[in-house]
């Protein structure tokens, strides 16, 4: 008999040896009992499966291990791995994994549990980067089950179309870490992505848009859609991996692509173009009989493709101006005894909820559906904080927590200059790996007897600023790993320091699967201490280095060469000679780099250079977005920090006693923001030439004008331009303000870089 020792959380935290023995699994299982002994698994090891469901889990195990470890397991011959059915294990997703010197057995009562157990074994079989080598598995017993039922990830192919191959890769990664819901945001103002056979114009017209213009006339439309057969195949693929796909048809707002396809389902009879503006646009579905019949017909076909219990109907950000101005809608409200347009939306959602219920389905929508009174049939996905979830759950409705910005993956992960496009979390902060990990889907204010209504949580990869598949992957991974643990693992098993250590093999798995996972949480941030002017005046440059996670040993060089395990370890801030090129990286215990090395140039010219990520908003505050040069490019284009309400940007603390001239690189971007009722918040500067000017001021936005450059015609000039000028002599440091005075109906301008040069 094998004698097991249970490693409790307290033991883990108090015993370095015990911690070192623990398998590096994500998410952390509910219970791990280690024993003496091991099991060696190498190329050709066989798997036996008790039934068809076990056979699916076996095939998935073979596929995962081949990618993650490079060894080939077999399902056509007996061997040491067994996948069996055990009715005594409670819960469809629960499993028990037992390993001893004779073999490894995965047991579960449900198909999902068998898959989850197989994915745990796959992680145990890929503990390091020794590709193709056999693995010695520790003897253990893992008893595991999820904390929450709904562990979801949303992908948004409506704003930027996401190729099916990318979605299949995402499904594989979700399954590998026990995430079980893929929410597809299939329609929005910018695109209708699902084939509806009864209404072919939804994809013939609604799936294609003209890109937003930054001056020149676009030459071709962009977009795409999924056929029903393609989606059925994706649903089956996900089901094998214990993942349910929940489709979303957004209504009554975010309907511009639908109304562009069939104007008669809209409100005021106009036919807009398919949208290319991000944000909130005015087009709504009408609540009249014809439009409601149209929506129900769409739902009929959607239900044939997606067998999910829940159908998502959106309900978010529907400004009601069209309904307010429509005599038809107002007459319907009066006939129904409804006093407000919010009550009209609630009535509409309730009608759809009843319709779905008749077909054995359940409606879920964003938390705005609460505003007119929550329909009895609705469940709520709460994105505007936790308040909507608490309100709905206390009223007896099921809820899913998905608060912005914490669980919004379009939020930036760092302020590194090489960070891809994204949202600066409402202009306030970035959302790190740690920020997601510490979130808990058990909202404050929820009555204890209502906790059962919290189905779980979901992270959302909105794609207004995620243009390429690589950018989607960068935004999603590895933050999905943190999310997997917070939704699966018992709360008392969660420990960020331990999680970061367990991320080490997972980063390797991402790389071997071809996933462009972000290294933002592990990369070295090299920061100047004090102002650039002080460094230039003093001759020595003080710098400090850190990583978000604190994982690994930071090693650095001062000669521009790539750091290695033999490079000097960073222990405290440094003071280096001007002209030094520093390179730094954090290394794991085995010497593996945890991220791409980052560089910092301390030359005088480099200290006088500011690039997009360095600029501040004028007159104060944070920049709101980091946007690509071309909104629909399928390449990783240059990115710019912008404040969509004010084109003024600031070079902070410029050493105007040292700098006598400047070169500023400017980009003309599309002004493609649907601001709705926030339109009046835009700052308009008075222009004195046809297309406006770039006005450079020294000493802040109210300081004297240092230079003025008329902006060229957007229709006939390139979208990137350079201006050069001189600065008046001053003392010490002062902010340089760059104001663009172009009209609000012309494209948007942003500073790419500003290089100061020293006085002669």
């Amino acid at each position: 008999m094998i004698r097991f020792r249970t490693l409790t959380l307290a033991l883990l935290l108090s015993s370095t040896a015990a911690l070192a023995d623990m398998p590096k699994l994500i998410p952390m299982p509910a219970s791990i009992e280690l024993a003496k002994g091991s099991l060696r698994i190498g190329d050709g090891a066989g798997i036996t499966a008790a039934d068809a469901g076990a056979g699916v889990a076996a095939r998935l195990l073979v596929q995962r291990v081949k990618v993650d470890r490079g060894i080939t397991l077999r399902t056509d011959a007996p061997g040491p791995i067994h996948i069996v059915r055990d009715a005594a294990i409670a819960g469809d997703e629960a499993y028990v994994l037992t390993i001893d010197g004779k073999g490894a057995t995965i047991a579960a009562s449900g198909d999902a549990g068998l898959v989850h157990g197989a994915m745990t074994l796959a992680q145990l079989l890929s503990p390091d980067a020794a590709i193709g080598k056999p693995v010695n598995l520790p003897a253990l017993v893992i008893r595991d089950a999820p904390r929450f039922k709904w562990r979801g990830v949303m992908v948004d192919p409506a704003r930027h179309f996401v190729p099916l191959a990318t979605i299949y890769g995402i499904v594989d990664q979700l399954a590998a870490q026990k995430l079980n819901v893929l929410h597809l945001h299939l329609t929005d103002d910018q695109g209708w992505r699902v084939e509806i056979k009864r209404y072919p114009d939804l994809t013939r017209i609604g799936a294609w848009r003209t890109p937003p213009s930054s001056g020149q006339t676009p030459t071709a439309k962009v977009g795409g859609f999924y056929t029903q057969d393609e989606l059925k195949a994706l649903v089956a693929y996900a089901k094998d991996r214990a993942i349910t796909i929940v489709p979303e048809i957004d209504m009554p707002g975010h309907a511009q692509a639908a109304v562009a396809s069939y104007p008669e389902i809209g409100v005021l009879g106009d036919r807009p173009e398919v949208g290319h503006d991000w944000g909130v646009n005015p087009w709504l579905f009408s609540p009249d009989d014809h439009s409601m019949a149209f929506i129900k017909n769409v739902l009929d076909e959607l239900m044939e493709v997606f067998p999910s219990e829940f159908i998502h109907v959106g309900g978010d950000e529907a400004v009601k101006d069209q309904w307010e101005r429509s005599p038809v809608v107002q007459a319907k409200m009066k006939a129904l005894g409804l006093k407000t347009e919010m009550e009209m939306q609630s009535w509409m959602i309730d009608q759809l909820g009843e319709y779905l219920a008749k077909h054995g389905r359940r409606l879920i929508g964003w938390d705005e559906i609460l505003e007119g009174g929550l329909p009895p049939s609705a469940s709520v996905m709460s994105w505007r904080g936790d308040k909507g979830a608490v309100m709905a759950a206390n009223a007896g409705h099921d809820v899913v927590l998905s608060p912005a910005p914490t669980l919004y993956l379009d939020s930036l992960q760092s302020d590194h200059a090489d960070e891809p496009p994204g949202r600066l979390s409402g202009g306030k902060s970035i959302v790190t790996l740690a920020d997601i990990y510490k979130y808990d889907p058990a909202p404050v204010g929820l009555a204890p007897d209502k906790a059962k209504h919290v189905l779980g949580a979901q992270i959302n990869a909105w794609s207004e600023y995620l243009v390429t598949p690589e950018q989607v992957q960068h935004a999603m991974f590895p933050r999905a790993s943190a999310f997997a643990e917070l939704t699966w693992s018992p709360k008392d098993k969660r420990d960020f320091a331990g999680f970061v250590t367990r991320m080490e093999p997972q980063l390797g798995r991402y790389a071997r699967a071809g996933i462009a996972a972000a290294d933002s949480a592990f990369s070295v941030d090299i920061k100047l201490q004090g102002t650039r002017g002080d460094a230039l005046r003093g001759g020595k440059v003080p710098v400090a280095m850190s990583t978000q996670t604190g994982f690994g040993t930071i090693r650095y060089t001062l000669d521009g060469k790539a750091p290695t395990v033999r490079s000097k370890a960073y222990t405290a801030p440094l003071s280096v000679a001007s002209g030094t090129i520093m390179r730094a990286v954090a290394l794991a215990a085995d010497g593996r780099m945890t991220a791409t090395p980052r560089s910092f140039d301390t030359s005088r010219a480099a200290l006088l250079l500011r690039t997009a990520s360095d600029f501040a908003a004028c007159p104060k505050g944070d920049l709101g977005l980091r946007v690509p040069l071309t909104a629909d490019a399928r390449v990783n284009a240059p990115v710019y920090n912008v404040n969509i309400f004010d084109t003024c940007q600031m070079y902070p603390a410029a050493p105007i006693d040292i700098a006598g001239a400047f070169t500023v690189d400017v980009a003309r971007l599309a002004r493609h923001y649907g601001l709705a009722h926030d339109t009046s918040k835009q700052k308009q500067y008075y222009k004195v030439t046809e297309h406006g000017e770039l006005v450079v001021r020294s000493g802040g936005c109210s300081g004297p004008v240092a230079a003025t450059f008329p902006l060229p015609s957007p229709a006939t000039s390139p979208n990137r331009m350079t201006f050069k000028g001189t600065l008046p002599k001053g003392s010490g440091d002062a902010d340089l303000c760059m104001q663009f005075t172009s009209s609000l109906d012309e494209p948007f301008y942003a500073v790419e870089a500003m290089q100061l040069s020293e006085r002669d």
Side-chain angles (χ1 to χ4, degrees):
M1 177 181 292
I2 298 175
R3 295 181 61 192
F4 291 100
R5 66 185 191 278
T6 301
L7 293 177
T8 65
L9 182 63
L11 177 60
L12 285 176
L13 295 177
S14 63
S15 170
T16 302
L19 182 61
D21 290 342
M22 288 295 289
K24 293 182 177 180
L25 297 172
I26 294 176
M28 187 68 173
S31 168
I32 302 178
E33 300 170 354
L34 294 179
K36 293 182 179 179
S38 64
L39 174 68
R40 189 172 179 84
I41 299 291
D43 217 45
I47 307 172
T48 59
D51 53 32
V56 170
R59 290 192 296 273
L60 297 179
L61 178 60
V62 170
Q63 294 166 9
R64 189 77 264 151
V65 171
K66 183 65 176 177
V67 172
D68 291 345
R69 185 65 176 188
I71 62 177
T72 301
L73 305 180
R74 300 177 59 183
T75 59
D76 59 352
I81 300 173
H82 312 282
I83 304 179
V84 302
R85 193 78 61 173
D86 186 347
I89 298 174
D92 182 65
E93 294 193 280
Y95 69 92
V96 176
L97 171 60
T98 305
I99 300 173
D100 58 25
K102 297 180 180 179
T105 300
I106 299 164
S109 59
D111 288 348
L114 296 175
V115 170
H116 296 326
M119 293 301 96
T120 296
L121 183 55
Q123 288 192 22
L124 290 171
L125 287 168
S126 54
D128 51 43
I131 304 303
K133 301 294 185 181
V135 182
N136 289 320
L137 299 177
L140 53 72
V141 173
I142 293 175
R143 295 180 175 86
D144 206 5
R147 181 184 178 196
F148 291 103
K149 175 183 177 181
W150 188 301
R151 307 179 303 282
V153 173
M154 191 210 74
V155 174
D156 171 18
R159 273 54 176 272
H160 282 108
F161 185 67
V162 180
L164 268 174
T166 301
I167 296 180
Y168 274 99
I170 290 171
V171 168
D172 288 338
Q173 294 303 316
L174 303 190
Q177 297 175 78
K178 302 179 179 63
L179 293 165
N180 70 338
V181 175
L182 175 62
H183 170 181
L184 291 181
H185 183 77
L186 291 169
T187 73
D188 214 292
D189 296 311
Q190 299 81 17
W192 186 284
R193 305 302 184 197
V194 53
E195 176 191 28
I196 302 299
K197 295 179 179 179
R198 183 164 181 168
Y199 302 115
D201 280 357
L202 285 172
T203 46
R204 186 182 69 83
I205 295 173
W208 308 93
R209 70 165 179 266
T210 301
S213 174
S214 52
Q216 291 77 28
T217 302
T219 57
K221 291 191 174 185
V222 297
F225 66 93
Y226 311 117
T227 68
Q228 291 190 9
D229 286 343
E230 287 173 334
L231 289 170
K232 287 178 180 177
L234 179 66
V235 167
Y237 186 88
K239 181 182 178 183
D240 279 351
R241 288 153 181 79
I243 293 172
T244 298
I245 298 184
V246 173
E248 179 186 353
I249 303 296
D250 209 345
M251 61 187 78
H254 290 290
Q256 188 169 339
V259 177
S261 306
Y262 292 93
E264 63 270 22
I265 65 173
V267 179
L268 296 174
D270 62 328
R271 184 172 209 152
E273 294 290 324
V274 176
H276 55 53
D277 294 345
W278 315 132
V280 178
N281 295 319
W283 283 274
L284 305 176
F285 284 96
S286 172
D288 66 18
D289 293 345
H290 175 77
S291 180
M292 292 297 291
F294 180 98
I295 294 170
K296 290 174 181 177
N297 290 335
V298 168
L299 292 176
D300 285 343
E301 294 196 30
L302 206 67
M303 287 186 284
E304 287 187 12
V305 175
F306 298 96
S308 56
E309 177 185 6
F310 287 94
I311 302 292
H312 205 300
V313 299
D316 62 313
E317 298 179 326
V319 291
K320 305 301 190 296
D321 300 67
Q322 286 193 338
W323 284 1
E324 291 170 359
R325 301 176 195 183
S326 167
V328 173
V329 174
Q330 293 300 311
K332 188 174 186 73
M333 287 173 56
K334 185 175 181 180
L336 293 170
L338 305 176
K339 296 180 180 180
T340 69
E341 286 73 24
M342 294 310 303
E343 290 179 356
M344 180 81 262
Q345 175 169 309
S346 181
W347 174 88
M348 186 177 183
I349 295 297
D350 194 35
Q351 293 293 302
L352 300 177
E354 290 181 3
Y355 187 77
L356 290 172
K358 290 177 181 177
H359 292 78
R361 307 300 185 90
R362 298 177 63 188
L363 180 147
I364 190 168
W366 302 108
D367 57 54
E368 283 95 331
I369 66 176
L370 289 162
E371 292 174 351
L374 186 61
S377 57
S379 298
V380 171
M381 187 169 282
S382 187
W383 72 276
R384 297 178 301 173
D386 293 351
K387 182 178 179 181
V390 171
M391 184 185 304
N394 282 337
H397 296 264
D398 288 343
V399 299
V400 175
L401 280 299
S402 191
T406 305
L407 299 189
Y408 269 41
L409 298 180
D410 58 338
S411 299
L412 293 178
Q413 301 177 66
S414 78
D415 60 1
H416 295 331
D418 58 2
E419 189 73 34
R423 186 193 311 270
L424 270 169
S425 305
K428 295 179 181 178
S429 64
I430 60 175
V431 175
T432 66
L433 192 67
D435 290 329
I436 289 184
Y437 191 86
K438 69 183 180 183
Y439 177 74
D440 190 62
V444 176
L446 185 63
D449 62 332
K450 303 298 183 182
K452 63 183 179 181
H453 289 296
V454 177
L455 300 179
Q458 181 170 292
I459 47 175
N460 300 322
W462 298 105
S463 70
E464 290 97 329
Y465 317 108
L466 306 180
V467 182
T468 68
E470 294 77 17
Q471 289 169 353
V472 173
Q473 293 170 355
H474 177 98
M476 189 174 293
F477 305 108
R479 289 187 289 185
S481 297
F483 179 76
E485 186 145 310
L486 75 90
T487 51
W488 177 280
S489 303
K491 187 176 181 179
D492 65 355
K493 292 293 192 295
R494 285 166 49 195
D495 164 53
F496 186 66
F499 165 76
V500 169
T501 300
R502 288 181 280 112
M503 273 301 303
E504 183 183 351
Q506 182 58 42
L507 293 174
R509 296 182 195 112
Y510 283 138
R512 290 189 288 277
I515 298 295
D519 67 0
S520 309
F522 300 89
S523 60
V524 177
D525 192 14
I526 309 174
K527 290 286 191 185
L528 177 71
Q529 303 295 286
T531 71
R532 297 181 179 219
D534 289 341
L536 289 163
R537 298 179 196 104
K540 287 285 189 177
V541 182
V543 296
M545 291 181 271
S546 63
T547 65
Q548 288 181 4
T549 61
F551 179 72
T553 300
I554 296 176
R555 295 190 178 272
Y556 67 94
T557 62
L558 301 178
D559 57 5
K561 294 182 180 179
T564 68
V565 292
R566 293 181 295 277
S567 300
K568 193 167 184 179
Y570 174 78
T571 57
L574 309 172
S575 184
V576 301
S578 176
T580 301
I581 297 178
M582 307 179 65
R583 297 190 72 191
V585 69
L587 300 178
D590 62 359
R592 182 185 58 81
M593 292 184 180
T594 61
T596 301
R598 297 308 202 267
S599 300
F600 187 76
D601 185 350
T602 69
S603 67
R604 295 182 72 83
L607 291 175
L608 288 167
L609 172 67
R610 292 277 194 173
T611 57
S613 61
D614 298 318
F615 290 103
C618 300
K620 60 183 178 180
D622 295 316
L623 300 172
L625 302 172
R626 186 169 172 83
V627 299
L629 175 66
T630 307
D632 283 278
R634 302 311 294 175
V635 296
N636 292 305
V639 292
Y640 304 86
N641 283 14
V642 302
N643 176 351
I644 62 177
F645 295 105
D646 191 342
T647 54
C648 180
Q649 292 179 266
M650 187 179 292
Y651 182 128
I656 58 175
D657 57 335
I658 297 172
F662 65 85
T663 299
V664 57
D665 297 322
V666 170
R668 185 190 300 117
L669 310 172
R671 192 184 290 271
H672 57 305
Y673 306 109
L675 300 178
H677 298 156
D678 289 327
T679 299
S680 62
K681 296 179 181 179
Q682 295 178 98
K683 175 73 173 180
Q684 174 67 73
Y685 295 94
Y686 179 61
K687 67 177 184 177
V688 297
T689 60
E690 182 179 3
H691 299 289
E693 309 82 47
L694 165 60
V695 181
V696 180
R697 294 178 179 271
S698 178
C701 294
S702 59
V705 174
T708 300
F709 307 97
L711 297 170
S713 168
T716 59
S717 63
N719 289 337
R720 297 169 85 179
M721 59 209 80
T722 299
F723 303 101
K724 296 183 178 182
T726 59
L727 293 171
K729 185 172 178 58
S731 60
D733 298 333
D735 296 332
L736 298 180
C737 178
M738 285 153 281
Q739 296 172 339
F740 295 98
T741 66
S742 54
S743 299
L744 297 179
D745 58 358
E746 289 200 343
F748 195 98
Y749 288 87
V751 178
E752 180 172 358
M754 190 174 196
Q755 176 70 66
L756 305 184
S757 55
E758 297 190 59
R759 297 182 185 277
D760 295 332

